[in-house]
Amino acid sequence: MSSFVYDALPMRVVFGSGSLARVADEVERLGLQRVLVLCTPQQRELADQVAELLGNRAAGVFDQARMHVPVETVEAAGTVAVDLEADGWVAAGGGSTIGLGKALALRTGLPVVAVPTTYAGSEMTPIWGLTQDGRKKTGRDRSVLPHTVIYDPDLTLSLPPSVSATSGLNALAHAVEALYAPDVSPVVSAMAEQGVRDLAAALPLIAADPGDSAARAACLQGAWLCGACLGSTTMGLHHKLCHVLGGMLDLPHAETHAVVLPHVAAYNLPAAPSAAAALNRALATDDAAAALAYLGSRLDVPPGLRDLGVAASDLPRIAAEVLAHPYANPRPVTGPDLETLLHTAWKGRT
């Protein structure tokens, strides 16, 4: 067996139907007295419900979370928190809201309780991201890890099948990259394989019946596992591409991951046979990249980057930014190879 290092992340997970009702207990357990509830404008109703459950431990609601976590949004939330004398955060929503909570934790050191409503999995990682002047900066810091994550499958029942699909494929991409990361370990490999299996099996069930509570729970479990994998390993070409695309062009986060996933998998998996074998087992196939593309088509995910509004003229500057600041990757990334990959992803599935 090859040598490895596995550094477990300190996370408390509360999982199960109706778990949202325990949010006040979790806040009290952390000794917090005045928490600011974070959400997007679209999820204000949920945030108000959380605030009601918190009672006098709720300092207020900040409902301006935005995709890719603009610096201006973080500053605005921080100002509100100071005015309200908040001593912590409850981030209720998807990746945008949880990303805001993590950015605020990075700046203030105040603890976060995460209540995910999508399958992004970012709540399980110490990775933060901030966007300023069209460039998304990311980093790792354990201070941004939520102290508690409350997974309540009931909160995902209203998630539209299209959003469920892209959100789930976003999480699945975390596991794919973790399997060929330079710091992968047997623990991460096992979690990644099971997370891919959970999501690949359950997402089509949700597409067929959005009210399938068992499939919703399976997807949330898969997102948890896939996010934990990303939190324990080094990101590669897939995440670098998505960060550049999102920061430069303000593309929808989950959709970008879903579109890019099979193309980067096809590029990298020939150089990562152990990862390919694990994915083949999880997807019950002998061609994991093709199976990922087929899964996207079954879930009616946009076929290519051009369907997300990317122009062919954008591709050269995307490639230049990726090559200027590359991430670790199992296969060397050259200019011609990257241009071919981007053009294929722009055109869409084959």
Side-chain angles (χ1 to χ4, degrees):
M1 179 181 293
S2 60
S3 61
F4 64 89
V5 173
Y6 173 65
D7 193 2
L9 298 175
M11 302 291 290
R12 175 176 170 86
V13 172
V14 178
F15 193 106
S17 175
S19 293
L20 180 62
R22 299 173 60 177
V23 65
D25 293 338
E26 293 303 316
V27 166
E28 181 180 8
R29 179 178 172 274
L30 294 171
L32 303 178
Q33 301 299 320
R34 290 182 59 79
V35 294
L36 184 62
V37 182
L38 309 172
C39 68
T40 60
Q42 295 78 15
Q43 292 197 295
R44 178 64 193 240
E45 184 177 349
L46 171 61
D48 287 339
Q49 181 184 356
V50 170
E52 183 176 352
L53 289 167
L54 290 171
N56 59 13
R57 292 182 186 272
V61 174
F62 179 84
D63 64 359
Q64 295 300 308
R66 280 197 57 208
M67 185 173 61
H68 303 306
V69 195
V71 168
E72 298 81 6
T73 303
V74 180
E75 292 172 348
T79 299
V80 171
V82 170
D83 291 343
L84 295 175
E85 300 181 344
D87 60 358
W89 325 91
V90 174
S96 298
T97 302
I98 291 169
L100 174 59
K102 292 162 81 171
L104 288 164
L106 182 70
R107 289 198 171 196
T108 67
L110 299 179
V112 180
V113 173
V115 183
T117 60
T118 68
Y119 306 125
S122 63
E123 65 279 352
M124 297 304 297
T125 82
I127 300 166
W128 55 267
L130 287 169
T131 299
Q132 186 172 23
D133 300 327
R135 177 168 292 180
K136 187 168 185 177
K137 179 182 178 182
T138 63
R140 284 178 179 263
D141 193 310
R142 287 199 174 201
S143 69
V144 310
L145 280 169
H147 284 52
T148 300
V149 180
I150 298 175
Y151 283 117
D152 188 340
D154 296 350
L155 299 180
T156 68
L157 285 170
S158 60
L159 195 65
S162 59
V163 181
S164 300
T166 53
S167 174
L169 288 173
N170 176 19
L172 199 152
H174 303 335
V176 172
E177 282 224 315
L179 282 166
Y180 55 62
D183 44 4
V184 68
S185 68
V187 175
V188 168
S189 293
M191 289 192 298
E193 185 173 334
Q194 185 59 48
V196 170
R197 184 176 291 110
D198 286 340
L199 286 162
L203 287 171
L205 298 178
I206 290 173
D209 178 10
D212 188 331
S213 57
R216 292 286 186 182
C219 274
L220 211 51
Q221 175 179 288
W224 167 16
L225 294 172
C226 293
C229 293
L230 178 65
S232 299
T233 55
T234 301
M235 292 182 290
L237 176 61
H238 172 92
H239 281 83
K240 180 63 181 182
L241 271 172
C242 292
H243 290 161
V244 172
L245 285 161
M248 279 192 174
L249 305 178
D250 199 30
L251 297 187
H253 181 82
E255 287 89 336
T256 304
H257 279 269
V259 169
V260 168
L261 173 60
H263 301 285
V264 177
Y267 182 80
N268 275 336
L269 290 179
S274 295
L279 288 171
N280 286 347
R281 289 192 298 269
L283 298 168
T285 183
D286 59 3
D287 187 342
L292 291 170
Y294 177 60
L295 178 60
S297 68
R298 289 181 66 192
L299 298 174
D300 210 20
V301 166
L305 291 174
R306 60 181 173 182
D307 300 285
L308 302 182
V310 178
S313 58
D314 292 323
L315 301 183
R317 66 190 180 108
I318 296 297
E321 178 66 18
V322 171
L323 292 170
H325 306 283
Y327 289 180
N329 202 61
R331 179 177 171 184
V333 182
T334 67
D337 285 342
L338 184 56
E339 290 173 12
T340 299
L341 189 159
L342 276 169
H343 190 69
T344 304
W346 180 77
K347 290 173 61 179
R349 288 184 294 268
T350 58

